[in-house]
Amino acid sequence: MQTAAVVIAAVGALGIGAQWIAWRTNWPAIVLMLAAGFLAGPILGLFDPEETFGSLLEPMIGIGVALILFEGGLSLSFRELQHSGSAVWRLATIGVAVGWALGAVTGYYVAGLVWPVAILFGGILVVTGPTVVLPLLRQSNVQTRPASILKWEAIVNDPTGALCAVIAYEYFRKVAESPGASLFEVVPPLIVAAVISGLIGYAAAWIISYLFPRGAVPEYLKVPVLFSLVIAVFVVCNMIEHEAGLVAVTVMGVALANMDVSSLRSIHPFKENIAVLLVSGIFILLSASLSYDDLQYLNWRFGAFLLALLFFVRPATVLISLLGSPLPWNERLFLAWIAPRGIVLVAISGLFALRLSELGYGDGNVLIGLSFAVVVATIVAHGFTVDLVAKLLKVKGTDRPGLIIAGSTPWTIALAKQMHALKTPVMIVDSSWQRLAAARREGLPYYHGEFLNEATEHNLDLNPYQVLVAATDNEAYNALVCNEFAHEIGRDSVYQLGEAVEDDRRALPGSLRGRALFESGFGVAEVDQRQKEGWVFRRTKLTEEFTIDDAREKLGEKANMLLLLRENGTMRFFTHAARPEPRPGDIVITYTPQHLKRAEAESAKREAGQKDAGKKPSDNREPGPAGGKPKPA
């Protein structure tokens, strides 16, 4: 199985398969990808990436890392720094210096590396990496501020760690050539190269921001032009200085993210898909490239080094960096624990291991196995404990899936009240302050702003909400909202009022709409009419004895079932095309005429009165005024 096409297909299948299993099981995707690659490579020997791709493997991985860093930079908005900016800058400056020093000292005294190798490896260890942090945050529901800090630190420190390694290598190379060389002969040229690379990245971002909105690039070429330019910037800046391309593409991504280029909104789904494919592929390739020879250097000293890295280097780096910071202590401790390493650590370690060996440092070969050991240890330790630590330190968001509603109407207010009473996180979004008055009176969470405005994505955290219901008085707008957020929330989790008419060529096609609410596919006008007639939402608890058929019989033909609420908070909607399978313990939310609600309330009131008075059900009368005759109930 050594043909390149077969290996590429196998890498894709293993990577995406591992991601899918992670989605189904809630296991850390990175752990499964590492295991899949290691199983296919050194254990079963199905393929060897180095043998298959040869000298192309390193540039392939380098370009992949560059595209991942660029995509990560596109997700960084300076608006996020309003509440976490000081912590990010501290970790990107003080944290880098402290982490580098502690990593080098630990590598020398605990791992037993020679000083040059320990110093270079300490510089590489300041990276955390978006390839591991972003999937980790995607799977765990961490509060917005600590999640934002981890994301910024991962993306900013990736090129910083690479530059630290370059500085260390260039210094030791200079010393090998000229034993009297000083650090000042090496560092200034590298800083200049990094600054030039950053300016090139910013210039590339400005070119995109100028050309795209003016129609200079057709829509179908925007993605190819953008990614080709990213690769070109990366390669050109690497020709200026090793790994300077990582700085350039990161600056390019962050600059574009904050230039408010509306034309980039349409490529967001594509770039995210590319990032998932690249992360999956690179992790499989790197873990499959590992050999038993790379692991033969590992011994008890390296085990002690990993423990020191987890329980001393990272906590000390974060706590020292954040001294005097307004960040709460529980968030500091959470940040002090979470620091998984990923692709950049392995790729840079493998690159410099060869170069250090050429300079005569024997421990250089150790870096390959040690870097993989660090990746595996940190991913397993942090991937499997992030939820537990977040809960213990109270930085975890709500576990129950939330419902976000577009449009503040009497119907959506009634639905939000019902779901809010059932402890489901709810958010009503509307651009009209007047229409939101009802939500404010009811004490319901709301957001005042246009749902489709890009500012909403920056100011409203959508992570807690797994379901979207668009129910404004405009069905076309509802379809637009569903289509816009389908890629983020999921096509199967966006709903709207009204049913698509498949054979009507004048109507919006179903592919552009959300799923229709209710089995009958009520439209906006029908819901409006029923709301005026006094229809209400009710909830009914299902048990082993009281099944969905019993509920239908009790509620009557006019009642319309809207959704099932599972015990864990998951929502399953009844639509014209899907009917979820009810289970005991589910709560059925129905939309019913008012008289059903009133009859049930009166029945419950009578039963409560009979119980309190200790009377038989047949004696259905209540006492009248003193000295008078009893009056009928």
Side-chain angles (χ1 to χ4, degrees):
M1 189 195 267
Q2 294 301 312
T3 62
V6 174
V7 172
I8 291 172
V11 168
L14 289 172
I16 301 305
Q19 296 251 21
W20 183 82
I21 294 173
W23 169 72
R24 295 289 297 176
T25 61
N26 284 328
W27 286 15
I30 312 298
V31 175
L32 295 176
M33 286 188 285
L34 282 174
F38 194 73
L39 187 67
I43 294 181
L44 298 180
L46 298 180
F47 57 83
D48 182 357
E50 292 184 353
E51 181 180 336
T52 303
F53 300 107
S55 60
L56 290 177
L57 183 61
E58 185 179 320
M60 284 168 52
I61 292 175
I63 290 173
V65 171
L67 290 171
I68 291 169
L69 281 178
F70 170 73
E71 193 276 335
L74 280 178
S75 67
L76 296 182
S77 170
F78 289 136
R79 297 182 184 92
E80 295 181 3
L81 297 180
Q82 293 176 355
H83 305 294
S84 58
S86 64
V88 171
W89 293 122
R90 284 167 175 263
L91 290 173
T93 53
I94 302 172
V96 167
V98 173
W100 189 357
L102 292 179
V105 170
T106 307
Y108 178 75
Y109 287 105
V110 180
L113 302 175
V114 296
W115 269 120
V117 177
I119 292 172
L120 186 142
F121 194 53
I124 301 175
L125 287 176
V126 304
V127 307
T128 49
T131 56
V132 284
V133 170
L134 297 184
L136 202 65
L137 294 176
R138 192 181 298 121
Q139 286 188 315
S140 59
N141 185 18
V142 180
Q143 290 176 3
T144 303
R145 182 166 55 190
S148 175
I149 293 172
L150 285 174
K151 181 173 70 173
W152 270 89
E153 181 198 16
I155 294 173
V156 171
N157 279 6
D158 248 20
T160 304
L163 280 179
C164 291
V166 171
I167 290 172
Y169 170 76
E170 290 296 331
Y171 172 72
F172 292 121
R173 184 181 65 83
K174 194 77 172 177
V175 168
E177 295 175 355
S178 306
S182 68
L183 196 61
F184 294 103
E185 295 179 37
V186 175
V187 174
L190 294 177
I191 294 177
V192 171
V195 171
I196 293 173
S197 299
L199 291 175
I200 292 174
Y202 184 85
W206 183 87
I207 291 172
I208 293 295
S209 70
Y210 180 84
L211 295 178
F212 279 20
R214 288 166 174 79
V217 179
E219 199 67 33
Y220 73 95
L221 282 180
K222 284 182 178 178
V223 172
V225 166
L226 183 61
F227 280 90
S228 298
L229 186 58
V230 171
I231 295 172
V233 167
F234 173 71
V235 172
V236 168
C237 292
N238 268 357
M239 293 171 66
I240 297 174
E241 183 56 62
H242 295 298
E243 311 306 327
L246 297 179
V247 177
V249 296
T250 303
V251 171
M252 183 178 174
V254 175
L256 267 179
N258 292 277
M259 287 178 178
D260 294 329
V261 182
S262 58
S263 303
L264 291 178
R265 288 175 64 91
S266 60
I267 74 166
H268 280 185
F270 181 81
K271 73 177 181 62
E272 290 170 0
N273 293 335
I274 287 293
V276 171
L277 287 170
L278 288 173
V279 169
S280 304
I282 291 175
F283 262 98
I284 296 296
L285 286 174
L286 287 175
S287 53
S289 300
L290 192 63
S291 66
Y292 289 109
D293 292 337
D294 296 328
L295 302 178
Q296 67 180 352
Y297 300 101
L298 301 183
N299 52 38
W300 68 269
R301 298 195 68 165
F302 291 145
F305 172 77
L306 295 176
L307 292 175
L309 188 66
L310 289 171
F311 296 102
F312 169 67
V313 175
R314 173 63 179 182
T317 298
V318 172
L319 297 180
I320 293 173
S321 302
L322 298 180
L323 281 177
S325 168
L327 207 66
W329 273 99
N330 62 328
E331 295 184 16
R332 296 190 205 186
L333 293 174
F334 178 74
L335 297 174
W337 172 242
I338 303 298
R341 271 69 170 190
I343 290 172
V344 173
L345 175 70
V346 174
I348 298 175
S349 296
L351 175 66
F352 284 106
L354 300 176
R355 296 178 180 176
L356 286 171
S357 298
E358 292 172 1
L359 293 179
Y361 298 111
D363 285 349
N365 292 328
V366 178
L367 290 188
I368 298 176
L370 186 56
S371 64
F372 261 104
V374 169
V375 168
V376 172
T378 55
I379 287 176
V380 171
H382 301 143
F384 282 109
T385 62
V386 59
D387 281 330
L388 175 62
V389 174
K391 286 179 182 177
L392 292 175
L393 295 176
K394 299 181 179 179
V395 297
K396 191 170 177 61
T398 177
D399 287 327
R400 292 180 71 82
L403 171 65
I404 189 164
I405 302 173
S408 180
T409 67
W411 185 82
T412 59
I413 295 295
L415 173 61
K417 283 179 61 179
Q418 186 68 249
M419 301 307 294
H420 192 62
L422 292 170
K423 310 300 183 186
T424 296
V426 177
M427 177 68 68
I428 298 177
V429 181
D430 202 299
S431 59
S432 170
W433 185 252
Q434 183 179 2
R435 287 195 295 266
L436 285 170
R440 298 197 302 272
R441 284 196 300 271
E442 297 292 345
L444 296 170
Y446 65 89
Y447 175 82
H448 179 217
E450 170 54 57
F451 211 152
L452 296 174
N453 192 320
E454 193 168 357
T456 300
E457 296 183 32
H458 300 302
N459 299 323
L460 179 61
D461 181 17
L462 296 177
N463 289 327
Y465 308 105
Q466 279 74 51
V467 176
L468 165 69
V469 168
T472 70
D473 55 5
N474 186 324
E475 288 196 26
Y477 178 82
N478 295 339
L480 185 60
V481 169
C482 289
N483 193 56
E484 177 70 18
F485 288 93
H487 76 276
E488 186 166 352
I489 296 177
R491 176 64 66 180
D492 295 337
S493 299
V494 291
Y495 300 87
Q496 72 173 95
L497 291 172
E499 181 179 356
V501 183
E502 299 295 340
D503 56 353
D504 187 353
R505 288 179 293 178
R506 295 167 297 179
L508 282 172
S511 59
L512 296 180
R513 300 168 49 89
R515 294 196 169 195
L517 293 168
F518 299 110
E519 292 180 345
S520 55
F522 280 166
V524 171
E526 294 167 301
V527 166
D528 253 3
Q529 181 60 34
R530 283 163 173 75
Q531 199 68 23
K532 291 174 182 175
E533 293 171 0
W535 283 45
V536 294
F537 286 100
R538 318 177 42 192
R539 59 179 182 263
T540 306
K541 181 75 174 286
L542 302 182
T543 63
E544 294 282 358
E545 296 77 21
F546 190 79
T547 65
I548 188 68
D549 294 329
D550 298 324
R552 288 183 187 275
E553 183 179 349
K554 178 180 178 181
L555 294 170
E557 295 181 358
K558 288 189 176 181
N560 289 269
M561 294 192 175
L562 176 63
L563 66 93
L564 293 175
L565 184 66
R566 308 284 192 207
E567 290 180 307
N568 63 357
T570 302
M571 290 166 275
R572 293 287 182 265
F573 282 78
F574 292 89
T575 72
H576 69 292
R579 292 165 182 80
E581 181 181 351
R583 305 172 185 169
D586 289 352
I587 295 176
V588 185
I589 306 297
T590 53
Y591 192 49
T592 66
Q594 175 69 21
H595 69 85
L596 289 178
K597 181 78 172 179
R598 185 161 51 244
E600 181 191 24
E602 290 175 356
S603 174
K605 186 176 179 180
R606 284 197 302 271
E607 290 176 5
Q610 291 164 5
K611 185 177 180 180
D612 292 341
K615 295 183 179 180
K616 297 179 181 179
S618 58
D619 188 8
N620 192 19
R621 295 188 299 174
E622 61 184 41
K629 296 180 179 179
K631 64 178 181 179

